[in-house]
Amino acid sequence: MTYDSALNKMAERIADRTSESKQGQLQRRNQVVDIYGMEFTRQGDTNHPATFYISVSPDLIYYERFEFKIIVQPFAMPIGADGATGSTTVQVNETGLTVNQNTISPNPHKHTTLPHNHPLSAGVSLFTSSVSDFEVWIEGIDVTPYLKAQYNGDWIDGEGVFPVKGLSNYDLLKAVGFMPTWQRGAILTPGYKKVELKGTGVFNATLVNYLKYSHVNR
């Protein structure tokens, strides 16, 4: 082997190693999404559930945490003065109306009023959230019984933070372990997850999301 051919082979080897090193650095690596305590607030009533959406990446590998708290707070309205309207005056034109033993004169007659309005004051008015028969639905599946069982049946019965035990949360990964396979798949499949809080009454609810999962870094 000549000196020049040896140098050429060495240069080729160095070029190959450089290319392999760059390719290795660009290979996919797994990463973790850790959402700890992200809040979503909605208002609902008997006929309209408070609806939230939680996004889970399609590159999901596996869940490490899927928990949440629920906070029920006073119902807020963007109107000042506790929702009362401003005062207004209604005037009735003279009609010569007389009442005598159910006889009205003139007959027929009419009443007219001056144009008027009811002004509202800007502000925030708070009303107590009164809610009963509270339920949690995820992807059209009622998960209420599974979440109730995690705290011996203690459940949402008005305003407050639930569950009430310190840093404890409702654990969805534990709940799905008791569900049929098709329900488990519907809830844990990645995508745009629909969460509905239903109840009888008018309420303001906050969902505090604690979500952690690994995913492929593309």
Side-chain angles (χ1 to χ4, degrees), residues 35-43 50-55 66-73 134-138 143 147 156 160 162-163 169-170 172 193-197 203-211:
I35 300 173
Y36 194 84
M38 179 177 289
E39 296 187 357
F40 305 87
T41 299
R42 301 288 188 275
Q43 300 192 140
T51 304
F52 312 82
Y53 291 91
I54 298 174
S55 297
F66 200 164
E67 304 174 357
F68 55 84
K69 285 186 180 297
I70 295 174
I71 305 173
V72 179
Q73 299 171 297
F134 202 84
E135 298 177 350
V136 179
W137 292 64
I138 300 178
V143 300
L147 302 182
I156 300 165
F162 304 92
N169 302 318
Y170 294 115
L172 195 57
K193 319 303 295 183
K194 183 178 182 180
V195 181
E196 297 175 285
L197 306 183
F203 59 94
N204 179 20
T206 297
L207 180 78
V208 188
N209 187 28
Y210 300 89
L211 179 63

Side-chain angles (χ1 to χ4, degrees), residues 134-146 179 183 187:
F134 202 84
E135 298 177 350
V136 179
W137 292 64
I138 300 178
E139 290 297 289
I141 299 169
D142 185 3
V143 300
T144 307
Y146 305 100
M179 296 180 185
Q183 291 185 342
I187 292 175

